[in-house]
Amino acid sequence: GKRSRVERSQTPESDQENTMTQTQSRSHNKTSVTRIRNRGDNASASEEPSIGIVERVELTDFMCHEHADVNLCHKVNFITGQNGSGKSAILTGLVIALGGKASATNRAPNLKEFIREGRTRAVVRVHLRNRGSEAYRPELFGDMIIIERQINATGGTVSQFKVRNASTGEIVSRKKEDVVAITDHMAIQVDNPINILSQDAAREFLASTSPDKMYHFFLKGTQLFQLREDLEVVRQAITRSEASISRKKEVLPEMKAEKKRWEDHYQDMSQARDISTRMEQLSCQMAWAMVKEAESEVHTIDEGIDVFQKKMSKIDQKVDAEKEAIDAINQEAEELNDQAQ
């Protein structure tokens, strides 16, 4: 759609500047956003809200919008348009992007119903201001956080979150837990009618005349209803914990006895392991002692062999001398025999 800008003339007594900007949206009907600013707001930038301000909402194939890009100011914004032009879709997209359930919008029973007819997915994005001393993890998310939620008509995952740092465009997280942490830090309660009041809830509020309905709305708006439910959950958890502690106390003596048995068994096993280790050590020592003893015996035998070899050498020498003497006698005998003949 074309973007138009209309500035209204102001009287000298007026201290406000009203600016009307048509939303960039390709849908069946035109929707416009009126943003009201006070001239005094620019006097001190430090006085402006620093976190939790919705500065921009983008819708793609969401409900009746093919593409809608809504830029908002940090003060008051009026969204105007014909019936069916998609005004409520912007608020619904804001709720869905910030982690709200389909049932909380009173617009559809499930997320898939928000996908534009004929499309397979829808995407909603919300730009949240994140500046100042109370900014949520600015070193990671930067001074502007983009929370994106994609709704798929097919596939196993119906809903997917992406949390980006607007300055770098980097995807910091894909977990819903981080979206919840961001909204909790910025005190954004999408299910609180004081924060976000849908058409159906407003109609119910205006039509409610009975005290019990008004009180129920009061409990829901002040989060006392949620606190009561949380308190009941805590009480149930305490009851379960006390019952569990009671059961464990009953079996505690048996568990202690079982622990004692296992400790004794562990001691026995430790002693057996120590004995086995000692036996292995003694076995090694015994083997080396046998080797040493065998080596000593071998050395003694070697020494005896040396002695016998020396004796054998002397005997051989004597035998050789005796042989020489016998040979000399034989030769002399032969000579005498020859002379006698």
Side-chain angles (χ1 to χ4, degrees), residues 2 8 24 80 95 97 119 127-128 135 137 161 175 181 201 223 270 308 340:
K2 297 181 179 178
R8 298 180 181 178
Q24 293 181 343
T80 60
V95 173
R119 303 297 181 180
H127 297 239
L128 293 176
R137 302 175 66 183
F161 283 95
K175 298 179 181 179
Q223 292 288 292
S270 298
F308 283 114

Side-chain angles (χ1 to χ4, degrees), residues 32-51:
S32 61
V33 179
T34 303
R35 300 180 294 187
I36 299 179
R37 298 185 179 90
N38 191 301
R39 287 181 177 179
D41 292 344
N42 296 327
S44 176
S46 61
E47 297 179 358
E48 293 186 1
S50 300
I51 63 171

Side-chain angles (χ1 to χ4, degrees), residues 3-67:
R3 184 180 180 88
S4 60
R5 182 181 180 88
V6 179
E7 297 185 357
R8 298 180 181 178
S9 60
Q10 302 293 319
T11 59
E13 293 82 4
S14 175
D15 60 351
Q16 289 185 341
E17 178 185 9
N18 295 334
T19 304
M20 176 174 289
T21 306
Q22 181 177 315
T23 305
Q24 293 181 343
S25 173
R26 292 196 295 274
S27 57
H28 297 293
N29 299 307
K30 293 182 179 179
T31 304
S32 61
V33 179
T34 303
R35 300 180 294 187
I36 299 179
R37 298 185 179 90
N38 191 301
R39 287 181 177 179
D41 292 344
N42 296 327
S44 176
S46 61
E47 297 179 358
E48 293 186 1
S50 300
I51 63 171
I53 302 301
V54 180
E55 296 200 351
R56 185 177 175 185
V57 179
E58 297 179 73
L59 309 176
T60 303
D61 293 326
F62 184 83
M63 298 182 70
C64 65
H65 292 286
E66 179 182 357
H67 179 74

Side-chain angles (χ1 to χ4, degrees), residues 236-254:
Q236 292 177 2
I238 291 174
T239 301
R240 289 194 299 268
S241 299
E242 289 177 345
S244 177
I245 291 172
S246 178
R247 289 193 301 269
K248 290 179 178 178
K249 283 183 178 180
E250 292 177 357
V251 299
L252 185 59
E254 183 180 351

Side-chain angles (χ1 to χ4, degrees), residues 196-228:
I196 299 178
L197 186 64
S198 64
Q199 283 184 342
D200 295 335
R203 191 181 299 111
E204 181 183 355
F205 172 74
L206 294 175
S208 298
T209 55
S210 60
D212 57 339
K213 289 185 178 180
M214 295 295 290
Y215 183 67
H216 179 77
F217 188 86
F218 166 76
L219 291 178
K220 196 172 181 180
T222 56
Q223 292 288 292
L224 290 176
F225 185 79
Q226 182 65 38
L227 288 176
R228 185 173 63 183

Side-chain angles (χ1 to χ4, degrees), residues 1 73 77 93 95 115 122 159 168 218 250 262 269 273 283 306:
C73 73
N77 298 271
V95 173
I115 301 176
S159 173
T168 63
F218 166 76
E250 292 177 357
W262 280 105
M269 294 295 295
R273 184 175 61 251
S283 177
D306 291 340

